[in-house]
Amino acid sequence: MLDPYLPLVLMFALAGAFALFSVTAAPYIGPRRYNKAKLDAYECGIEPSPQPVVGGGRMPVAYYLTAMLFILFDIEMVFLYPFAVTADKLGLFGLVEIVLFIATVGFAYVYVWRRGGLDWN
């Protein structure tokens, strides 16, 4: 009864074993030479500073807003793709559901736009 799921379970077990092996073997296999440059933060070739220049040590919130907006619209695409594949089978019910979904995401987009979340000053 569960035979069709056996390859999937084996693939997850293999992925878990590989991840566990990689994490446990890395300290023994990797180089152990101390290098101060490798321990420093990398800032695109610019000399690292102890604190960010903008905001007296704080990161600008715009970076986090951009990440959250990316996640919002990325999730939208995750839901729109299966609809596009099976749109003819879903009929009117699918059309109504996807219109409601796009309207909900559209309200979120308009809200962010009105609040200035898309403005980079």
Side-chain angles (χ1 to χ4, degrees), residues 56-96:
R58 295 184 178 191
M59 291 292 291
V61 178
Y63 294 121
Y64 301 111
L65 290 176
T66 304
M68 296 307 275
L69 288 174
F70 174 77
I71 291 170
L72 174 76
F73 294 112
D74 189 44
I75 290 173
E76 178 188 8
M77 288 300 120
V78 167
F79 285 116
L80 283 177
Y81 183 74
F83 169 76
V85 171
T86 61
D88 55 342
K89 295 178 186 173
L90 295 175
L92 184 62
F93 174 75
L95 180 64
V96 169

Side-chain angles (χ1 to χ4, degrees), residues 37 40-51:
D40 283 345
Y42 179 70
E43 295 184 8
C44 302
I46 301 170
E47 195 64 35
S49 60
Q51 293 182 353

